[in-house]
Amino acid sequence: MDLLDSRRLTGPNLLLDRPGAILEISLSPEEAEAAVATWASQVRRMLDAVGWTGAEIAARRFPGGASLAITAPIDALYSATEVNDWAWEAVEAQFAGREAPDFREAASRLRAEIAREANPALIALQAGAAAHGVSFLADDRAASVGLGKGSLSWPVRALPSPDQVDWNRVHDIPVLLVTGTNGKTTTVRLLAALVDAAEQMAGTTSTDVIEVGGEVIERGDFSGPGGARTLLRDRRVEVAILETARGGLLRRGLAVNHADAALVTNVAADHLGEFGILDLPALAAAKLVIARAVGPQGRIVLNADDPELVAAAGALRSPILWFSLDPGNPLIRQAGETCIYEAGSLVLVWGGERIEVATVDRVPITFGGAARHNVANALAAIGMASAIGVPVEAMARGLRRFGGRPEDNSGRANLFERDGVRVLVDYAHNPHGLAALLDLARTIPAERRLLLLGHAGDRGEEAIRDLARAALPFQADRIILKELPEMLRGRQPGEVPAILEDELRRQGIPPERIERAGSELEGVRKALSEARPGDLLILLVHTQREEVMAALQTLTPGG
């Protein structure tokens, strides 16, 4: 048995409905039952000793290990990790036949740590926000009440008492959560366009950027709770749209306790093996943590064409709005609120009324319906926008405006042309996303096809081989395998391209059709230098998007 990780949980999470601490443990099948039971006994003993008699504990076992969690006050989360660590140390001692760590000494030490970490003003402000029915956010730097334009924030060690707060200035704003294996960033950007068309100030977080009203606040991966809190404290924001990635949910939990709507675009194999998420049902459960923030007046928006989401939906408490590319989907026929793709139209069924929001020939990101994954993203966005009352006319305007320029959805299904060469740039990074992109690529005529392919190093070998196999239907005349130096993540340089090449050759791709590039930008330059009129280049771009888009500036968008 080994302790793999010990960390804080700053919000509702896969195991618990409130903050706390969690251990990730590797265990053999023979050890698992007894080890988890011993941990539960030891951690409860210590929780009682430090005065946290009302704390909850939860364990999630999976093949090869377990996740072990406890709840704790928000002003004692670091101390909570120490409590959990002590309990596991006691488990290890018992299994190794060693003398257990001294309980009284540990309890005294942990009570002192809890007292040092305590921030009574933080707890009082949290209670004040609850009493006034508004959101409360806290981290190591700041605490805030209300959201967006209705928020007030202070340094975490210089907080007012609740009676010093002008609660008349404090209120929440609509919050939309977006997760899924693929399509998250596109849908967040599209939702922002629909909100903008309704003349409201949208703020977004994503794997690329924090943005308010189109203004970039900060670049980087902000799909976790830290990025969410930064955006939700910006007093310009009237509607917050938060990309909520699996990693942040599992590492820290949700950033908010309340959301007006939550979307899961799809569930497909990616990142399996991390944090004990070993299969698709477990991945669906992890992503559906966002549904915990949605109350009975909100909406959970789900893909009716995704079997994992359909199977998991029965456990959800709040109303579901389903979307589907298939108007004949039996679930769609039974559902009261839906978004469907029917005869070239995006249709919203709401309040017993069927409303044609737009036709795909007027929605640029759908490529006239050829980009079926973006048709699905548009349906999802309509469902989310309807949940917060965006007028249908504004939805239609936003759908028509978005995607006409590469900068609207940079790096996602951007099509360029120069001198008879077409270039399709996308972020597809797993077999599910690549298959969706290749469905679009097949509709684009070409004399030759060239593919730039690569993968991050933190995936297992079989996942890397799966990506190579997913590229086969494209029937590329040439494949450039790129190194991603920024995403080696424990692998050696050249290791991932070698796995990809080995699988391609095993699948019958001749070696002369495969070459390598030392970086993403080098691969793009190779592809452009080899292209000739009539070619279609598919460039999967993950780490150097700005440089790649600059290299494509001489091309004409929308080719």
Side-chain angles (χ1 to χ4, degrees):
M1 60 176 65
D2 287 305
L3 172 61
L4 303 177
D5 190 29
S6 175
R7 63 185 185 277
R8 296 170 300 148
L9 294 168
T10 55
N13 51 81
L14 184 58
L15 275 72
L16 301 163
D17 285 329
R18 50 195 172 106
I22 191 168
L23 302 175
E24 302 290 349
I25 307 295
S26 69
L27 293 168
S28 69
E30 296 77 23
E31 297 169 323
E33 183 174 354
V36 171
T38 304
W39 165 82
S41 172
Q42 294 288 354
V43 81
R44 175 56 67 195
R45 183 185 179 203
M46 185 57 77
L47 288 168
D48 290 346
V50 300
W52 292 351
T53 55
E56 299 174 23
I57 68 172
R60 176 179 173 269
R61 287 173 51 186
F62 49 85
S67 301
L68 310 173
I70 62 174
T71 61
I74 60 167
D75 67 338
L77 297 184
Y78 288 103
S79 299
T81 65
E82 295 293 320
V83 169
N84 220 4
D85 288 344
W86 178 90
W88 187 251
E89 185 181 349
V91 173
E92 290 182 318
Q94 179 170 319
F95 273 70
R98 300 193 307 266
E99 183 178 350
D102 185 88
F103 177 78
R104 290 186 178 180
E105 184 279 329
S108 176
R109 173 178 57 82
L110 289 168
R111 284 193 292 267
E113 288 187 14
I114 291 168
R116 282 193 295 272
E117 190 180 352
N119 186 343
L122 187 71
I123 300 301
L125 191 61
Q126 181 186 38
H132 287 84
V134 295
S135 295
F136 175 81
L137 303 175
D139 51 41
D140 292 344
R141 296 178 300 102
S144 55
V145 295
L147 301 175
K149 68 181 297 185
S151 66
L152 296 174
S153 303
W154 304 270
V156 76
R157 291 294 173 182
L159 299 173
S161 64
D163 59 5
Q164 293 175 313
V165 176
D166 183 358
W167 293 103
N168 292 321
R169 297 175 58 199
V170 179
H171 61 83
D172 286 348
I173 60 171
V175 175
L176 304 177
L177 306 178
V178 178
T179 194
T181 301
N182 292 304
K184 298 184 293 295
T185 301
T186 293
T187 306
V188 163
R189 292 169 174 171
L190 181 54
L191 264 171
L194 304 193
V195 169
D196 179 70
E199 299 183 348
Q200 290 182 286
M201 180 69 78
T204 64
T205 63
S206 70
T207 51
D208 293 334
V209 72
I210 300 175
E211 260 184 313
V212 176
E215 177 189 342
V216 174
I217 306 303
E218 194 168 353
R219 295 191 184 277
D221 186 348
F222 290 101
S223 58
R229 287 189 292 267
T230 297
L231 179 76
L232 291 168
R233 290 171 177 153
D234 191 309
R235 288 182 49 81
R236 295 170 295 172
V237 178
E238 296 176 309
V239 177
I241 308 163
L242 309 176
E243 182 173 336
T244 308
R246 166 214 55 88
L249 287 171
L250 291 169
R251 286 186 184 92
R252 295 287 184 232
L254 277 171
V256 294
N257 291 316
H258 170 78
D260 296 85
L263 162 67
V264 185
T265 58
N266 46 59
V267 176
D270 197 16
H271 296 283
L272 294 180
E274 298 179 10
F275 301 107
I277 304 301
L278 307 180
D279 55 27
L280 291 180
L283 185 59
K287 292 183 181 297
L288 281 166
V289 167
I290 66 170
R292 298 188 183 189
V294 179
Q297 303 306 312
R299 293 295 184 274
I300 303 169
V301 180
L302 298 180
N303 187 343
D305 302 327
D306 190 300
E308 297 300 335
L309 293 174
V310 173
L316 301 178
R317 299 188 296 263
S318 298
I320 298 174
L321 186 153
W322 293 98
F323 67 94
S324 176
L325 296 172
D326 176 12
N329 185 312
L331 190 57
I332 290 293
R333 290 179 175 177
Q334 300 166 12
E337 297 173 349
T338 63
C339 292
I340 55 176
Y341 179 45
E342 189 170 28
S345 293
L346 306 175
V347 178
L348 171 66
V349 179
W350 184 276
E353 186 179 0
R354 293 174 62 86
I355 307 164
E356 181 184 289
V357 179
T359 56
V360 291
D361 60 336
R362 302 195 68 189
V363 180
I365 66 165
T366 72
F367 289 79
R372 289 178 63 82
H373 61 297
N374 275 343
V375 176
N377 292 335
L379 292 170
I382 290 169
M384 292 287 279
S386 66
I388 59 169
V390 173
V392 169
E393 297 79 10
M395 295 187 208
R397 285 196 301 273
L399 289 164
R400 289 195 300 266
R401 292 172 184 171
F402 183 78
R405 307 169 303 163
E407 55 265 35
D408 289 342
N409 197 23
S410 181
R412 271 76 174 178
N414 299 145
L415 186 61
F416 302 86
E417 183 172 7
R418 181 181 68 184
D419 300 330
V421 176
R422 287 181 168 178
V423 180
L424 183 61
V425 179
D426 197 81
Y427 185 74
H429 61 286
N430 54 50
H432 182 270
L434 183 55
L437 181 68
L438 296 184
D439 282 344
L440 169 60
R442 278 193 285 267
T443 69
I444 303 173
E447 295 178 11
R448 293 192 315 160
R449 292 173 169 82
L450 185 148
L451 176 64
L452 176 66
L453 185 67
H455 212 322
D458 59 348
R459 308 308 201 271
E461 181 171 324
E462 196 57 30
I464 296 171
R465 292 183 181 276
D466 283 344
L467 187 72
R469 290 190 286 267
L472 296 175
F474 185 52
Q475 298 182 323
D477 297 279
R478 195 153 193 79
I479 300 176
I480 299 175
L481 301 176
K482 62 180 180 178
E483 183 73 87
L484 293 172
E486 306 90 338
M487 301 178 77
L488 291 176
R489 297 173 181 173
R491 291 190 181 270
Q492 294 301 309
E495 188 176 351
V496 171
I499 296 171
L500 290 168
E501 181 169 0
D502 181 67
E503 186 59 36
L504 291 170
R505 293 176 68 168
R506 285 176 58 184
Q507 298 296 326
I509 304 297
E512 60 270 17
R513 285 166 53 188
I514 304 170
E515 64 178 306
R516 296 200 196 180
S519 70
E520 197 161 70
L521 187 57
E522 180 186 330
V524 168
R525 287 171 173 160
K526 278 179 178 282
L528 291 172
S529 67
E530 295 177 17
R532 62 193 189 208
D535 285 357
L536 172 63
L537 315 183
I538 290 191
L539 307 180
L540 304 186
V541 176
H542 306 118
T543 62
Q544 295 182 281
R545 189 179 68 241
E546 291 184 24
E547 296 93 329
V548 169
M549 298 305 274
L552 299 176
Q553 281 184 349
T554 58
L555 280 66
T556 302

